[in-house]
Short mmCIF file of all heavy atoms in Angstrom, two decimals:
data_model
loop_
_atom_site.label_atom_id
_atom_site.label_comp_id
_atom_site.label_asym_id
_atom_site.label_seq_id
_atom_site.Cartn_x
_atom_site.Cartn_y
_atom_site.Cartn_z
N VAL A 1 -51.67 8.88 58.69
CA VAL A 1 -50.49 9.14 59.52
C VAL A 1 -49.46 9.94 58.74
O VAL A 1 -49.18 9.67 57.56
CB VAL A 1 -49.87 7.79 59.98
CG1 VAL A 1 -48.62 8.04 60.82
CG2 VAL A 1 -50.88 6.98 60.76
N ASN A 2 -48.88 10.92 59.43
CA ASN A 2 -47.76 11.68 58.89
C ASN A 2 -46.51 10.84 59.14
O ASN A 2 -46.15 10.58 60.30
CB ASN A 2 -47.67 13.04 59.59
CG ASN A 2 -46.54 13.90 59.06
OD1 ASN A 2 -45.47 13.40 58.72
ND2 ASN A 2 -46.80 15.19 58.99
N GLN A 3 -45.85 10.42 58.09
CA GLN A 3 -44.70 9.52 58.23
C GLN A 3 -43.52 10.19 58.93
O GLN A 3 -42.70 9.52 59.55
CB GLN A 3 -44.27 8.99 56.86
CG GLN A 3 -45.33 8.17 56.15
CD GLN A 3 -45.80 6.97 56.95
OE1 GLN A 3 -45.01 6.24 57.53
NE2 GLN A 3 -47.10 6.76 57.01
N SER A 4 -43.43 11.51 58.87
CA SER A 4 -42.31 12.22 59.51
C SER A 4 -42.53 12.40 61.01
O SER A 4 -41.64 12.14 61.82
CB SER A 4 -42.12 13.60 58.87
OG SER A 4 -41.86 13.45 57.50
N SER A 5 -43.73 12.90 61.38
CA SER A 5 -43.96 13.25 62.79
C SER A 5 -44.81 12.22 63.55
O SER A 5 -44.86 12.26 64.77
CB SER A 5 -44.66 14.61 62.87
OG SER A 5 -45.98 14.50 62.36
N GLY A 6 -45.50 11.36 62.84
CA GLY A 6 -46.38 10.40 63.49
C GLY A 6 -47.74 10.98 63.85
O GLY A 6 -48.58 10.29 64.44
N ALA A 7 -47.98 12.24 63.49
CA ALA A 7 -49.27 12.87 63.77
C ALA A 7 -50.36 12.14 62.99
O ALA A 7 -50.12 11.56 61.94
CB ALA A 7 -49.23 14.35 63.37
N GLU A 8 -51.57 12.18 63.54
CA GLU A 8 -52.69 11.47 62.94
C GLU A 8 -53.87 12.40 62.70
O GLU A 8 -54.12 13.31 63.50
CB GLU A 8 -53.15 10.32 63.84
CG GLU A 8 -52.12 9.26 64.07
CD GLU A 8 -52.60 8.16 65.00
OE1 GLU A 8 -53.66 8.32 65.66
OE2 GLU A 8 -51.92 7.12 65.07
N ILE A 9 -54.58 12.16 61.61
CA ILE A 9 -55.85 12.83 61.34
C ILE A 9 -56.85 11.76 60.90
O ILE A 9 -56.46 10.69 60.41
CB ILE A 9 -55.73 13.97 60.30
CG1 ILE A 9 -55.11 13.48 59.00
CG2 ILE A 9 -54.95 15.12 60.85
CD1 ILE A 9 -55.03 14.54 57.92
N LEU A 10 -58.13 12.05 61.08
CA LEU A 10 -59.17 11.09 60.74
C LEU A 10 -59.76 11.38 59.36
O LEU A 10 -59.93 12.54 58.98
CB LEU A 10 -60.30 11.13 61.76
CG LEU A 10 -60.00 10.55 63.14
CD1 LEU A 10 -61.20 10.72 64.06
CD2 LEU A 10 -59.63 9.08 63.02
N LEU A 11 -60.08 10.31 58.66
CA LEU A 11 -60.74 10.37 57.36
C LEU A 11 -62.09 9.68 57.49
O LEU A 11 -62.18 8.57 58.02
CB LEU A 11 -59.89 9.67 56.29
CG LEU A 11 -60.58 9.36 54.96
CD1 LEU A 11 -60.96 10.65 54.23
CD2 LEU A 11 -59.69 8.49 54.08
N PHE A 12 -63.13 10.34 56.97
CA PHE A 12 -64.47 9.76 56.89
C PHE A 12 -64.89 9.72 55.42
O PHE A 12 -64.78 10.73 54.72
CB PHE A 12 -65.49 10.60 57.68
CG PHE A 12 -65.17 10.69 59.14
CD1 PHE A 12 -64.38 11.71 59.64
CD2 PHE A 12 -65.66 9.72 60.01
CE1 PHE A 12 -64.09 11.79 60.98
CE2 PHE A 12 -65.36 9.79 61.37
CZ PHE A 12 -64.57 10.82 61.86
N ILE A 13 -65.36 8.58 54.95
CA ILE A 13 -65.85 8.45 53.58
C ILE A 13 -67.35 8.77 53.63
O ILE A 13 -68.10 8.12 54.35
CB ILE A 13 -65.62 7.02 53.04
CG1 ILE A 13 -64.13 6.68 53.07
CG2 ILE A 13 -66.21 6.86 51.65
CD1 ILE A 13 -63.27 7.60 52.23
N ASN A 14 -67.78 9.78 52.83
CA ASN A 14 -69.16 10.22 53.00
C ASN A 14 -69.84 10.78 51.75
O ASN A 14 -70.88 11.40 51.84
CB ASN A 14 -69.23 11.27 54.10
CG ASN A 14 -68.28 12.42 53.86
OD1 ASN A 14 -67.77 12.60 52.77
ND2 ASN A 14 -68.03 13.20 54.90
N SER A 15 -69.26 10.58 50.57
CA SER A 15 -69.84 11.17 49.38
C SER A 15 -69.68 10.20 48.21
O SER A 15 -68.56 9.78 47.90
CB SER A 15 -69.12 12.49 49.09
OG SER A 15 -69.55 13.05 47.89
N PHE A 16 -70.80 9.84 47.57
CA PHE A 16 -70.78 8.86 46.48
C PHE A 16 -71.50 9.41 45.25
O PHE A 16 -72.59 9.96 45.38
CB PHE A 16 -71.46 7.56 46.92
CG PHE A 16 -70.79 6.90 48.09
CD1 PHE A 16 -71.17 7.21 49.39
CD2 PHE A 16 -69.78 5.98 47.89
CE1 PHE A 16 -70.55 6.60 50.47
CE2 PHE A 16 -69.15 5.37 48.97
CZ PHE A 16 -69.54 5.69 50.26
N SER A 17 -70.91 9.22 44.07
CA SER A 17 -71.56 9.67 42.85
C SER A 17 -72.84 8.89 42.57
O SER A 17 -73.68 9.34 41.80
CB SER A 17 -70.61 9.55 41.65
OG SER A 17 -70.22 8.21 41.46
N THR A 18 -72.98 7.74 43.19
CA THR A 18 -74.19 6.93 43.01
C THR A 18 -75.35 7.49 43.83
O THR A 18 -76.46 7.01 43.73
CB THR A 18 -73.92 5.48 43.45
OG1 THR A 18 -73.45 5.49 44.80
CG2 THR A 18 -72.90 4.82 42.55
N GLY A 19 -75.07 8.52 44.65
CA GLY A 19 -76.10 9.16 45.46
C GLY A 19 -76.31 8.47 46.79
O GLY A 19 -76.75 9.08 47.75
N GLN A 20 -76.02 7.21 46.85
CA GLN A 20 -76.16 6.44 48.08
C GLN A 20 -75.22 5.25 48.02
O GLN A 20 -74.55 5.04 47.03
CB GLN A 20 -77.60 6.00 48.28
CG GLN A 20 -78.16 5.24 47.10
CD GLN A 20 -79.66 5.09 47.18
OE1 GLN A 20 -80.29 5.57 48.11
NE2 GLN A 20 -80.25 4.42 46.23
N ARG A 21 -75.20 4.46 49.06
CA ARG A 21 -74.28 3.32 49.12
C ARG A 21 -74.81 2.08 48.40
O ARG A 21 -74.08 1.12 48.25
CB ARG A 21 -73.97 2.99 50.57
CG ARG A 21 -73.14 4.07 51.23
CD ARG A 21 -72.93 3.78 52.70
NE ARG A 21 -72.27 4.87 53.35
CZ ARG A 21 -70.98 4.90 53.65
NH1 ARG A 21 -70.23 3.88 53.36
NH2 ARG A 21 -70.45 5.94 54.24
N THR A 22 -76.04 2.07 47.98
CA THR A 22 -76.59 0.96 47.20
C THR A 22 -77.00 1.50 45.84
O THR A 22 -77.68 2.52 45.75
CB THR A 22 -77.81 0.34 47.92
OG1 THR A 22 -77.40 -0.13 49.20
CG2 THR A 22 -78.37 -0.83 47.12
N PHE A 23 -76.58 0.80 44.79
CA PHE A 23 -76.90 1.24 43.44
C PHE A 23 -77.05 0.05 42.51
O PHE A 23 -76.65 -1.07 42.84
CB PHE A 23 -75.85 2.23 42.91
CG PHE A 23 -74.49 1.62 42.69
CD1 PHE A 23 -74.09 1.21 41.42
CD2 PHE A 23 -73.60 1.45 43.73
CE1 PHE A 23 -72.83 0.66 41.21
CE2 PHE A 23 -72.34 0.91 43.54
CZ PHE A 23 -71.96 0.51 42.27
N VAL A 24 -77.62 0.29 41.33
CA VAL A 24 -77.78 -0.73 40.30
C VAL A 24 -76.86 -0.36 39.15
O VAL A 24 -76.86 0.79 38.68
CB VAL A 24 -79.25 -0.78 39.81
CG1 VAL A 24 -79.40 -1.80 38.69
CG2 VAL A 24 -80.18 -1.10 40.97
N THR A 25 -76.07 -1.33 38.68
CA THR A 25 -75.15 -1.05 37.59
C THR A 25 -75.92 -0.70 36.32
O THR A 25 -76.95 -1.30 36.02
CB THR A 25 -74.21 -2.26 37.32
OG1 THR A 25 -75.00 -3.40 37.03
CG2 THR A 25 -73.31 -2.52 38.52
#
């Protein structure tokens, strides 16, 4: 959210350095 105007944009999380969402430490 833009605190001044109230405008909204969407964020999608889609990139991981682990290569995928499941990894082994």
Side-chain angles (χ1 to χ4, degrees):
V1 179
N2 182 323
Q3 298 302 316
S4 301
S5 69
E8 298 178 348
I9 55 177
L10 288 178
L11 166 65
F12 298 91
I13 301 300
N14 54 15
S15 174
F16 299 90
S17 60
T18 56
Q20 54 193 2
R21 291 176 186 259
T22 301
F23 67 98
V24 177
T25 58

